[in-house]
Amino acid sequence: MTLALRAAARFDIAVVRFAQALARRAAGAGATPAQRLVQLERTAEAYSRIDPAAFYAEPPVPRMRLQKVRGLRGGGEVVDLSWESGWIPRDPAFRDDYLRFTENRTAHARLLRHPRPAPAIVCLHGYRAGVHRFEELAWNASWLHHRLGLDVALLTLPFHALRAPRGRFAPVFPSMRTGRTVEGFGQAVWDARALLRWLRAAGSPLAGVAGMSLGGYTASLLATVTPHLDCVVPFIPLADLTDAAIEHAELRGETVSAELGEAGKRALQLVRPLARAPLISGDRMLVVAAEADRITRTDTHAVRLAEHFGAPLVTFPGGHLLQLGHRAGLRAMARLLARAGALPPR
């Protein structure tokens, strides 16, 4: 491993340890392993009674509010979209706690669009991210828009950025409240599908989804919920929340029992991409990984997603946060879009 890759890996590890230290300080003593096991088993039982088809019901086309941000060269424009999410938690036991976060009831996205309808890509951000201006940079949105000719929609995931509770340092989703985590992924899929339906109703001939990290997990989950996606690109993706929690514990020298790990997977079964059958073919999907990633390790996340979906895997130098050479991944995504017919003639 080169010096740059070692530095990227060490930076990932340092950030994980720092974030965990802050989380432990905020949470205090927290639940004991025995208490946590009981909580997970209760959540698993509750969601085992819910019909997946009802959980992943298709949302209506939203009534969209548009606010122009600025113009773009070539006659395009940047507009901020907002709409009432309409997500109602499927488990009544979690409903009141979930809906008390009023900011999260409104969905938000930033759209870079052309004067006429164009193929669209919905981009999903990672954990603790979602600020529109930052996501424009993270996704090289101007390149996707101007060079590739795409309409680029930057969707804000539940409980992040504009949807975050006021005064909260860290997002409350995903969290140790496993029921909220399950409902959060249900809402993320619901909101993404609503946005995709609106884009198609507005004239987009093709539409796909790309997601980084937590967004990569959500994009993968979408690929098991709806076949109406022209392409899906999980980028430095998370494949399994429980495995990530176990790996992060190992980084600070702790061990999570096998019993607790299995209970975590049962509790999240309804929203685990690896536990669900793909609904799109592997040739419409591409998994992009970073060689030195220590937050979502390539071998336990990207590789498993690629195998599960029968999709190609490409890698680029760098880590999860210091994405050295990440444009190689974006170029690979462009090639997939071209094969899918999602790029207009140049």
Side-chain angles (χ1 to χ4, degrees):
M1 185 181 290
T2 67
L3 181 62
L5 290 184
R6 284 198 296 271
R10 288 171 181 166
F11 185 70
D12 282 352
I13 293 170
V15 169
V16 167
R17 289 174 173 166
F18 177 70
Q20 289 174 332
L22 289 177
R24 287 198 302 274
R25 186 181 304 173
T32 66
Q35 291 169 332
R36 181 65 180 149
L37 184 61
V38 170
Q39 293 168 356
L40 291 171
E41 294 292 6
R42 285 175 179 168
T43 303
E45 181 182 359
Y47 285 98
S48 69
R49 297 193 297 266
I50 294 177
D51 179 9
F55 187 83
Y56 291 113
E58 187 173 33
V61 177
R63 297 180 63 181
M64 197 69 71
R65 298 183 291 272
L66 287 74
Q67 180 176 0
K68 183 173 179 178
V69 178
R70 64 182 188 274
L72 292 169
R73 56 180 173 173
E77 63 179 356
V78 178
V79 294
D80 282 348
L81 312 176
S82 62
W83 67 99
E84 295 306 314
S85 169
W87 173 259
I88 301 298
R90 303 317 194 221
D91 185 354
F94 293 103
R95 193 164 292 163
D96 290 344
D97 173 74
Y98 197 91
L99 294 178
R100 69 187 173 90
F101 297 100
T102 56
E103 297 91 345
N104 187 53
R105 297 182 196 175
T106 302
H108 296 272
R110 173 161 289 186
L111 176 64
L112 286 74
R113 65 179 180 179
H114 291 83
R116 290 175 295 279
I121 186 81
V122 174
C123 298
L124 308 174
H125 58 81
Y127 181 63
R128 291 177 179 261
V131 174
H132 289 329
R133 189 57 183 164
F134 174 82
E135 295 307 322
E136 286 192 52
L137 298 173
W139 282 104
N140 285 59
S142 62
W143 180 77
L144 293 173
H145 175 268
H146 181 67
R147 294 287 295 173
L148 300 189
L150 299 171
D151 284 350
V152 183
L154 306 167
L155 175 65
T156 305
L157 293 175
F159 299 104
H160 284 70
L162 290 171
R163 306 179 69 171
R166 287 188 177 89
R168 295 292 186 106
F169 174 72
V172 298
F173 157 80
S175 75
M176 295 293 284
R177 290 179 178 262
T178 316
R180 184 189 297 159
T181 297
V182 174
E183 298 289 353
F185 281 118
Q187 185 176 27
V189 168
W190 171 273
D191 291 342
R193 293 175 76 190
L195 178 57
L196 286 161
R197 292 197 69 191
W198 182 83
L199 289 167
R200 289 186 183 277
S204 293
L206 297 166
V209 176
M212 284 191 188
S213 192
L214 179 64
Y217 183 104
T218 308
S220 301
L221 184 57
L222 274 161
T224 73
V225 173
T226 174
H228 305 301
L229 294 170
D230 294 293
C231 62
V232 177
V233 184
F235 204 98
I236 53 168
L238 172 70
D240 190 286
L241 280 169
T242 305
D243 289 339
I246 292 171
E247 291 161 4
H248 294 176
E250 291 172 349
L251 290 178
R252 61 178 188 268
E254 298 179 6
T255 301
V256 176
S257 71
E259 184 182 27
L260 202 57
E262 291 166 5
K265 293 191 177 187
R266 286 194 298 273
L268 294 167
Q269 187 78 353
L270 188 58
V271 294
R272 289 181 62 226
L274 295 176
R276 296 175 49 81
L279 291 184
I280 69 167
S281 58
D283 61 349
R284 284 190 281 161
M285 190 165 183
L286 171 72
V287 182
V288 181
E291 295 171 11
D293 195 334
R294 292 299 179 270
I295 293 178
T296 56
R297 285 170 28 193
T298 298
D299 57 339
T300 55
H301 294 276
V303 168
R304 290 166 66 199
L305 282 175
E307 291 174 349
H308 183 69
F309 287 95
L313 170 69
V314 301
T315 63
F316 63 87
H320 194 88
L321 299 171
L322 297 180
Q323 296 179 17
L324 311 172
H326 78 285
R327 289 198 178 190
L330 292 175
R331 287 193 293 271
M333 184 172 79
R335 291 192 292 271
L336 172 68
L337 292 167
R339 290 194 300 272
L343 298 187
R346 304 299 291 176

